[in-house]
Amino acid sequence: MSLLVQKYGGTSVGSIERIKQVAAKCAAAKRAGHDLVVVVSAMSGETNRLLALAHEISEVPDDREKDVLLASGEQVSVALLTLALKEAGQRARSFLGHQVRIATDNAYGKARILSIDSTKILLALKAGEVVVIAGFQGVDEDDNITTLGRGGSDTSAVALAAFLNAQACEIYTDVEGVYTTDPGICPDARKLARISYDEMIELASTGAKVLEIRSVEFAKKFSVPVHVRSTFAEVEGTWLVNEEESMSDVLVSGVACDRNEAKITLLRVPDRPGLAAQVFGPIADAHIVVDMIIQNASEDGTTDLTFTVPKADHKKALAIVERTARAVNAKGVKIDTDMAKISAVGVGMRTHAGVAAKMFEVLAREGINIEMISTSEIKISVVIEAKYTELAVRVLHEAFIGKQGTV
Ligand code: ADP
Ligand code: ASP
Ligand code: MG
């Protein structure tokens, strides 16, 4: 019998009515002959609500306790969906991360899945039950509850599909698939029938939150067929596939934006060997991921060092950097949380020149100043003032992808 993993996001389980609809969809897939493992997120808004509660108590909440708190959102939705399945006459059983044993490392708030024990899942499936598993959470080797980072239920689902060797992983969400840009921002965005794993990794890492980046990395590594599709419309969505030759004909296949980064500048630090290691070592030790880094040309033996970190980590990062600034005798530290990163992604960039130049030109025409630039083989990202986000996305989409044609 074929095994399917389905994942339903927050909006898809955002009310009791919607949970009942999801239960009906799951029961139909089961009747169609599939063994079914269903991963669910917390009801929409719940993770943010819990996070806000923690912040009412402390400015930088303890990492371990924050994970205990946030994981409770998914506990509610697995129970409600399982109840709805049973009510619809379908045998079902819920599991939390630690009950299955989704083993992770101990990096609270951004834990990585190390292994998944399939024993209980396979027993339940054999008994004819739909297995409903809490997304976003796991357990470390000392039995502490961990969470995987925002959007982490995608990763739970793809990892389960990989470990269980599922036929496919269906990601059900509130849009019909992966689009050329966020359809919520740009009305001209078009749904892609297929996207390569590599392009999706770049889009996810640059802010297209339709899939969490680690879920795509997992999918690529284990060749999991992933189908992103709508919970609310019975239509084909977008398949993640290995790169196909025709894909490199398209210069830019997607435009993404990210308002979740903060920019930190260390002013006038001594320009000497070992300085960067001294600055970034403690940040890495605190499991904070640094994205872009710029070091300006050196004048009088000192230089400015600018970099970006996730907004969620900016207070922690700032405290660390202020300590380093004192130790290395820097002039000071500046922080800016009002910025956005806009990226153009496409495998066609490997073989075509001129994308960066065109991007700069289009932004210049709108009077948008570029503060930072970074590139990879198939991506160009710029940092701009946050107030220009929507405008930049629309003009870049218009310039590179346009309104017409198929993708
Ligand atoms: P879920 O709660 O189902 O996990 P998310 O809110 O995490 O859903 O992700 C879906 C949202 O991602 C969409 O509503 C859309 O606004 C946003 N999004 C951003 N970029 C894209 C893109 N390129 N294609 C589709 N959706 C995108
Ligand atoms: N509930 C978590 C979040 O809001 C995980 C997820 O939805 O994937 O980030
Ligand atoms: Mg999501």
Side-chain angles (χ1 to χ4, degrees):
M1 216 196 257
S2 75
L3 171 67
L4 265 187
V5 174
Q6 296 186 335
K7 177 254 170 179
Y8 292 90
T11 331
S12 309
V13 294
S15 65
I16 294 300
E17 217 31 65
R18 288 192 167 171
I19 289 174
K20 287 181 182 170
Q21 280 173 22
V22 166
K25 274 177 94 80
C26 298
K30 180 75 182 140
R31 276 198 305 277
H34 298 290
D35 274 342
L36 201 61
V37 170
V38 182
V39 175
V40 276
S41 294
M43 295 169 81
S44 54
E46 181 61 8
T47 309
N48 285 341
R49 189 185 72 85
L50 294 168
L51 208 48
L53 289 180
H55 282 282
E56 275 184 40
I57 293 177
S58 88
E59 202 180 348
V60 183
D62 177 78
D63 288 330
R64 181 184 185 279
E65 302 316 320
K66 193 165 78 180
D67 276 13
V68 173
L69 176 70
L70 294 191
S72 70
E74 272 69 12
Q75 178 162 352
V76 171
S77 40
V78 285
L80 292 175
L81 179 60
T82 307
L83 284 173
L85 278 160
K86 285 173 178 281
E87 200 59 29
Q90 173 57 57
R91 302 183 64 195
R93 183 183 298 261
S94 67
F95 290 102
L96 301 178
H98 69 89
Q99 292 176 307
V100 175
R101 209 153 180 102
I102 297 180
T104 71
D105 62 18
N106 62 0
Y108 296 118
K110 49 187 77 130
R112 278 181 185 274
I113 295 178
L114 303 174
S115 67
I116 297 178
D117 186 344
S118 57
T119 317
K120 287 186 189 142
I121 302 174
L122 294 177
L123 272 176
L125 290 174
K126 208 162 165 207
E129 292 171 328
V130 168
V131 175
V132 184
I133 299 180
F136 179 57
Q137 56 176 262
V139 61
D140 75 4
E141 62 175 351
D142 296 320
D143 289 335
N144 297 301
I145 290 174
T146 55
T147 66
L148 311 181
R150 298 309 302 267
S153 298
D154 296 334
T155 309
S156 309
V158 175
L160 277 159
F163 278 100
L164 297 169
N165 214 357
Q167 175 197 317
C169 180
E170 297 184 315
I171 304 284
Y172 284 94
T173 184
D174 58 1
V175 286
E176 286 183 16
V178 179
Y179 284 67
T180 48
T181 193
D182 187 342
I185 293 184
C186 181
D188 296 331
R190 279 176 286 140
K191 184 169 72 180
L192 297 156
R194 290 183 304 285
I195 184 166
S196 73
Y197 291 114
D198 286 334
E199 282 174 318
M200 194 62 234
I201 285 173
E202 293 286 14
L203 278 181
S205 74
T206 51
K209 69 172 184 159
V210 63
L211 281 177
E212 203 265 336
I213 179 167
R214 282 185 187 163
S215 71
V216 194
E217 287 168 352
F218 242 107
K220 182 184 175 192
K221 187 164 170 197
F222 296 99
S223 294
V224 179
V226 174
H227 187 189
V228 181
R229 57 192 313 190
S230 166
T231 306
F232 311 107
E234 283 293 328
V235 288
E236 257 315 92
T238 304
W239 284 92
L240 263 55
V241 295
N242 285 312
E243 192 174 324
E244 296 161 359
E245 223 172 281
S246 64
M247 287 176 168
S248 58
D249 296 342
V250 181
L251 210 55
V252 172
S253 46
V255 175
C257 63
D258 188 351
R259 276 170 278 210
N260 285 315
E261 285 189 36
K263 188 178 83 176
I264 296 179
T265 303
L266 257 159
L267 298 163
R268 312 257 50 100
V269 287
D271 191 10
R272 58 167 161 74
L275 194 278
Q278 214 174 334
V279 173
F280 293 110
I283 299 177
D285 290 344
H287 299 290
I288 297 172
V289 179
V290 173
D291 183 14
M292 290 192 197
I293 301 177
I294 288 185
Q295 184 178 318
N296 294 345
S298 163
E299 272 173 46
D300 62 36
T302 68
T303 178
D304 288 351
L305 191 60
T306 304
F307 57 94
T308 59
V309 295
K311 228 182 230 177
D313 288 331
H314 82 273
K315 285 192 180 141
K316 216 193 252 179
L318 191 62
I320 294 170
V321 174
E322 278 172 343
R323 240 175 286 136
T324 314
R326 282 193 293 275
V328 302
N329 236 340
K331 196 167 161 218
V333 181
K334 247 183 16 192
I335 181 140
D336 184 354
T337 52
D338 231 6
M339 39 148 286
K341 183 173 73 174
I342 315 290
S343 309
V345 171
V347 288
M349 283 185 212
R350 281 204 194 104
T351 44
H352 297 76
V355 177
K358 184 165 172 182
M359 185 165 180
F360 304 154
E361 194 186 298
V362 169
L363 295 174
R365 225 184 291 140
E366 301 297 329
I368 300 173
N369 188 42
I370 298 170
E371 296 184 24
M372 297 172 90
I373 301 169
S374 89
T375 62
S376 81
E377 213 188 359
I378 63 167
K379 174 202 76 182
I380 300 167
S381 301
V382 295
V383 167
I384 60 171
E385 266 185 89
K387 65 180 180 191
Y388 294 122
T389 308
E390 282 85 3
L391 174 65
V393 167
R394 288 192 198 120
V395 292
L396 290 172
H397 189 272
E398 169 89 55
F400 285 117
I401 296 164
K403 289 186 175 138
Q404 304 298 321
T406 51
V407 180

